[in-house]
Amino acid sequence: MARCDDHDREIAVLRAQAEQLKRALGKNAVVDQAIGVVITYGGVDAETGREVLEEVSRRTDTEPAQVAEHLVRWPRRTWLPATLHQVLDAALERARSAASRADSQDGARPASAP
């Protein structure tokens, strides 16, 4: 009988882990979709899109998955919470400015010899 109880406990643990994995994968998919929204809206690359999403999460003290949910729903709803929208715009402006500075510095450097 003890062997059956151990087996049942193991099954319960495996089911819980599978459910946790499904939730995590779902969150990752939404985060990836939200990065796509940021890329499209902000005209930035994927790395910058991820950084902007993380910055918005930090500055609004909101979990990245929650920010991602808002961003993914934004095109359908045609609105974004005002604070989130303001922080997103400011983060994109900072990212674009940093990229512009980096580009101008790269252009000012002499080309290296082959």
Side-chain angles (χ1 to χ4, degrees), residues 98-110:
S100 178
R101 282 191 305 274
D103 287 346
S104 66
Q105 287 174 353
D106 286 345
R109 292 182 186 150

Side-chain angles (χ1 to χ4, degrees), residues 20-101:
Q20 185 178 23
L21 182 59
K22 279 182 10 185
R23 280 194 305 272
L25 288 173
K27 286 182 182 180
N28 284 339
V30 171
V31 168
D32 288 343
Q33 292 168 10
I35 292 167
V37 171
V38 173
I39 290 167
T40 303
Y41 175 69
V44 295
D45 62 26
E47 182 180 339
T48 302
R50 179 174 294 283
E51 291 168 359
V52 166
L53 178 64
E54 290 169 357
E55 181 179 342
V56 170
S57 172
R58 279 192 313 275
R59 289 183 181 270
T60 61
D61 195 28
T62 307
E63 290 293 319
Q66 268 188 301
V67 173
E69 286 285 340
H70 282 293
L71 290 171
V72 168
R73 287 192 219 137
W74 179 22
R76 271 192 330 263
R77 287 185 182 164
T78 68
W79 68 272
L80 191 62
T83 302
L84 196 64
H85 203 165
Q86 291 167 351
V87 172
L88 173 63
D89 286 343
L92 282 166
E93 183 58 36
R94 279 189 292 280
R96 284 191 214 105
S97 293
S100 178
R101 282 191 305 274

